[in-house]
């Protein structure tokens, strides 16, 4: 196997034994990028020069005997994370020339852990979308089928890992943007508990829902990334001052005598038949490993999409007010006065989906409608959270499909926003409740398209997710399959 195809833990072993150097690893990643990036388009910008410098420094550190959690490991970053001195666009025209003066906390943490950054990955504009088609920089292709979407909004991060154009990557998840593309690209993706990972330096979409998390080639790597990313940050008032366990210690602990909840509202008509079969197989594997699967109910599931599409746009309309052509980013030229400058900047700077969200959100927050929409949605959100609290009194974790179908074709849903929104039907509730979730590969559809299973747990129980995901990974035997690019 080539170096760029290996996992973090496999590469760490090789680096420790001095079988390879960090520069060897980064070269193999950039060779792969040269070979396939033209087909996949996972990246908005590459950080090749910086990456080689970081790798050379990593090799120095290794020589001195200083090897940290991610020393010499090439990691790709969703272009929603502020990187000091390096253009950060959020895949929007409005930020196409924005160079942040500071690093996101997660970037600092990864740097401190010795990581090598390969580049900034493509995404839906401002993370609004499920297919990476709303990017100002063009669509990313699914490495398993180039005529299909990789999912979104972190489609570039998922595709980069699946295509071995990096070893692991970072994404953000507001309503499914890590788990959904992870499922559609056949990799592992975790959305941690709201408050577990600092969001300082993450460009805000919907502040009560946004979380950062990793994409990896296997579950052990997910644990390694979480060890580095998680933890309290005084710069993010929503991050929680709580100890971070060693997530790696949850691998291979087994799930004997666990109870796994199967929510009946997630196994409904309309799910793709092959997804359903893969889920039934997953239930069998989980039971064979010693767990008991029981039916549970999350009665307010039907309201999740509607509630999300009030709350997320409302928060977005407020967060995106700052892009006015004055403070930073794009400014329209030839304007007669300030008002025209605001109008033209925002009309020219944002794409159609972002404008749609701003309009929905502004409407939902406007006086006279606030109570009927935003307030009502917030009340129903509390009921959705309560459904999960009650479910977790009956089970250790919940198992559900990550997506209702495998990856769809590019262009298939672009004219129908509602159809697009429905592709998040199984991921959104997690964000509304603030709980953690992980998507793990659990099967393949006939056309060779990956299918993902999703485990959900109570607040701050990411360890349990790693524990059960590692069981599924070991028993499902899918790790060796790779896209044929
Ligand atoms: N697809 C959802 C949306 O369009 C979720 C996006 C996300 O998680 N960032 O809002």
């Amino acid at each position: 196997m080539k170096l760029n195809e290996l996992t973090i833990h496999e590469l760490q072993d090789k680096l420790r034994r001095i079988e390879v150097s960090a520069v060897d690893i980064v070269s193999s990643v950039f060779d792969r990028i040269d070979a396939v990036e033209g087909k996949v388009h996972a990246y908005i910008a590459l950080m090749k020069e910086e990456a080689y410098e970081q790798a050379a420094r990593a090799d120095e550190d290794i020589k001195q005997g200083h090897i940290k959690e991610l020393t010499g490991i090439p990691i790709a970053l969703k272009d929603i994370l502020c990187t000091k001195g390096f253009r950060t666009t959020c895949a929007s025209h409005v930020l196409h020339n924005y160079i942040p003066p500071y690093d996101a906390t997660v970037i600092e943490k990864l740097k401190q852990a010795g990581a090598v950054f390969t580049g900034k990955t493509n995404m839906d504009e401002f993370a609004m979308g499920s297919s990476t088609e709303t990017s100002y920089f063009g669509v990313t292709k699914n490495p398993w089928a180039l005529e299909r979407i990789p999912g979104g909004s972190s489609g570039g991060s998922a595709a980069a890992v699946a295509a071995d154009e990096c070893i692991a990557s970072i994404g953000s998840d507001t309503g499914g943007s890590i788990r959904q593309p992870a499922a559609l690209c056949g990799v592992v993706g975790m959305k941690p508990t709201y408050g577990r990972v600092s969001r300082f330096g993450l460009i805000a979409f919907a502040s009560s829902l946004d979380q950062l998390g990793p994409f990896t080639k296997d579950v052990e790597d997910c644990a390694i990334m979480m060890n580095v990313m998680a933890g309290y940050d005084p710069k993010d008032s929503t991050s929680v001052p709580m100890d971070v366990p060693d997530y790696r210690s949850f691998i291979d602990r087994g799930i004997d005598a666990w109870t796994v909840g199967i929510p009946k509202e997630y196994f409904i008509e309309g799910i793709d038949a092959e997804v359903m079969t893969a889920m039934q197989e997953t239930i069998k594997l989980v039971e064979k490993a010693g767990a008991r699967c029981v039916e549970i109910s999350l009665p307010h599931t039907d309201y999740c999409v509607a509630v999300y599409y009030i709350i997320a746009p409302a928060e977005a309309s407020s967060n995106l007010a700052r892009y006015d052509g004055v403070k930073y980013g794009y400014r329209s030229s030839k304007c007669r006065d300030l008002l025209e400058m605001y109008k033209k900047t925002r009309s020219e700077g944002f794409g159609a989906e972002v404008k749609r969200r701003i309009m929905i959100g502004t409407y939902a927050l406007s006086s006279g409608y606030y109570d009927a929409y935003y307030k009502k949605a917030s009340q129903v959100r509390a009921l959705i959270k309560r459904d999960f609290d009650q479910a977790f009194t009956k089970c250790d974790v919940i198992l559900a499909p990550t997506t209702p179908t495998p990856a769809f074709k590019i262009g298939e849903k672009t004219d129908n926003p509602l159809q697009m929104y429905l592709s998040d039907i199984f991921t959104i509730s997690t964000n509304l409740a603030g709980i953690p979730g992980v998507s793990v590969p659990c099967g393949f559809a006939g056309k060779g398209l990956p299918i993902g299973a999703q485990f959900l747990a109570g607040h701050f129980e990411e360890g349990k997710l790693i524990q059960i995901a590692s069981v599924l990974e070991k028993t499902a035997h899918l790790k060796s399959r790779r896209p044929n690019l």
Side-chain angles (χ1 to χ4, degrees):
M1 258 172 128
K2 297 200 181 103
L3 293 177
N4 63 305
E5 294 174 6
L6 300 180
T7 60
I8 300 176
H9 55 95
E10 287 163 343
L11 290 169
Q12 278 173 336
D13 287 345
K14 288 191 181 296
L15 285 167
R16 276 208 191 91
R17 285 192 248 114
I18 329 247
E19 279 170 30
V20 298
S21 71
V23 170
D24 294 337
I25 298 172
V26 84
S27 306
S28 107
V29 166
F30 278 98
D31 285 350
R32 177 67 173 172
I33 291 174
D34 286 344
V36 303
E37 177 60 5
K39 292 186 206 164
V40 179
H41 187 37
Y43 286 93
I44 289 176
L46 295 172
M47 300 168 129
K48 192 167 179 177
E49 218 174 286
E50 294 85 343
Y52 274 90
E53 274 167 28
Q54 285 167 330
R57 238 175 292 139
D59 282 329
E60 277 305 311
D61 287 346
I62 296 168
K63 256 192 222 146
Q64 315 275 331
H66 305 311
I67 181 153
K68 287 176 281 182
E69 300 96 309
L70 295 174
T71 298
I73 303 298
I75 302 217
L77 308 167
K78 185 175 183 179
D79 206 18
I80 195 167
L81 278 164
C82 287
T83 40
K84 188 175 176 179
F86 196 91
R87 192 174 71 131
T88 299
T89 69
C90 236
S92 181
H93 187 201
V94 111
L95 285 178
H96 75 286
N97 57 358
Y98 174 59
I99 299 188
Y102 64 94
D103 273 330
T105 295
V106 158
I107 301 283
E108 275 179 7
K109 286 188 172 218
L110 292 168
K111 276 186 182 168
Q112 272 162 20
V116 168
F117 297 141
T118 52
K120 308 294 293 280
T121 57
N122 200 14
M123 53 183 279
D124 282 295
E125 185 180 3
F126 281 102
M128 296 172 191
S130 310
S131 63
T132 316
E133 289 170 294
T134 71
S135 169
Y136 176 63
F137 300 95
V139 63
T140 296
K141 318 282 171 52
N142 189 314
W144 295 89
L146 294 170
E147 74 289 359
R148 289 176 189 266
I149 54 101
S153 66
S154 318
S157 289
V161 173
D164 297 309
E165 293 185 74
C166 63
I167 307 303
S169 65
I170 309 288
S172 65
D173 191 313
T174 303
S177 279
I178 293 174
R179 290 158 291 149
Q180 186 253 25
L184 302 188
C185 288
V187 298
V188 176
M190 175 175 278
K191 180 203 100 73
T193 308
Y194 185 75
R196 178 85 284 189
V197 173
S198 167
R199 300 175 306 137
F200 179 75
L202 162 71
I203 295 176
F205 163 10
S207 305
S208 76
L209 301 161
D210 298 339
Q211 254 298 284
L212 286 162
F215 287 95
T216 55
K217 296 184 193 193
D218 71 3
V219 177
E220 188 163 352
D221 279 6
C222 176
I224 295 171
M225 292 293 286
M226 282 298 294
N227 280 352
V228 174
M229 294 172 71
Y232 174 64
D233 176 13
K235 289 184 198 147
D236 174 1
S237 60
T238 65
S239 85
V240 177
M242 241 175 95
D243 287 343
V244 179
D246 175 9
Y247 291 112
R248 234 171 152 171
S249 70
F250 291 91
I251 305 273
D252 291 336
R253 277 202 205 166
I255 50 167
D256 205 23
W258 276 32
T259 306
V260 176
I262 311 292
K264 62 173 191 238
E265 292 82 2
Y266 284 62
F267 289 79
I268 41 170
E269 238 176 84
I271 296 186
D272 177 271
E274 289 179 302
V275 172
M276 201 55 126
T277 310
M279 288 313 300
Q280 275 150 2
E281 288 302 313
T282 305
I283 292 173
K284 278 191 210 144
L285 290 178
V286 164
E287 284 180 333
K288 235 169 116 186
R292 195 169 56 99
C293 290
V294 297
E295 186 179 279
I296 56 156
S297 175
L298 298 165
H300 296 91
T301 297
D302 270 0
Y303 302 108
C304 287
V305 173
V307 166
Y308 174 88
Y309 279 97
I310 297 290
I311 290 177
E315 294 180 10
S317 70
S318 161
N319 276 326
L320 272 59
R322 70 191 71 173
Y323 306 106
D324 56 7
V326 177
K327 299 180 204 71
Y328 34 58
Y330 172 74
R331 174 185 296 176
S332 180
S333 55
K334 293 191 217 96
C335 303
R336 277 167 309 193
D337 55 32
L338 186 65
L339 198 59
E340 188 178 298
M341 195 273 284
Y342 287 154
K343 278 190 192 161
K344 279 179 81 178
T345 296
R346 289 170 68 81
S347 307
E348 292 161 14
F350 292 131
E353 183 59 30
V354 174
K355 286 180 192 160
R356 181 179 296 125
R357 306 277 179 119
I358 292 174
M359 284 190 276
I360 295 173
T362 308
Y363 182 79
L365 289 177
S366 56
S367 78
Y369 294 102
Y370 179 92
D371 282 355
Y373 292 106
Y374 191 75
K375 191 168 161 213
K376 185 57 97 194
S378 301
Q379 287 165 335
V380 181
R381 179 179 186 176
L383 298 176
I384 292 165
K385 182 179 170 293
R386 205 173 64 190
D387 283 356
F388 281 103
D389 292 343
Q390 282 168 354
F392 289 124
T393 63
K394 300 193 189 78
C395 60
D396 296 280
V397 295
I398 291 172
L399 167 61
T402 312
T403 61
T405 65
F408 46 90
K409 290 223 169 88
I410 292 171
E412 197 178 314
K413 299 191 181 182
T414 36
D415 294 336
N416 190 338
L418 191 58
Q419 274 305 314
M420 190 69 91
Y421 298 170
L422 286 172
S423 63
D424 300 319
I425 190 162
F426 299 142
T427 48
I428 275 174
S429 56
T430 317
N431 302 72
L432 291 170
I435 58 173
V438 68
S439 179
V440 209
C442 74
F444 280 88
K447 293 192 182 89
L449 301 171
I451 297 171
Q454 183 180 211
F455 294 108
L456 310 175
H459 293 97
F460 299 99
E461 292 191 328
E462 287 84 357
K464 275 189 177 171
L465 297 180
I466 303 248
Q467 198 167 336
I468 191 161
S470 75
V471 167
L472 178 60
E473 179 179 71
K474 294 243 155 58
T475 49
H477 303 296
L478 300 166
K479 239 174 101 176
S480 55
R481 278 181 75 161
R482 308 197 102 72
N484 187 11
L485 272 163

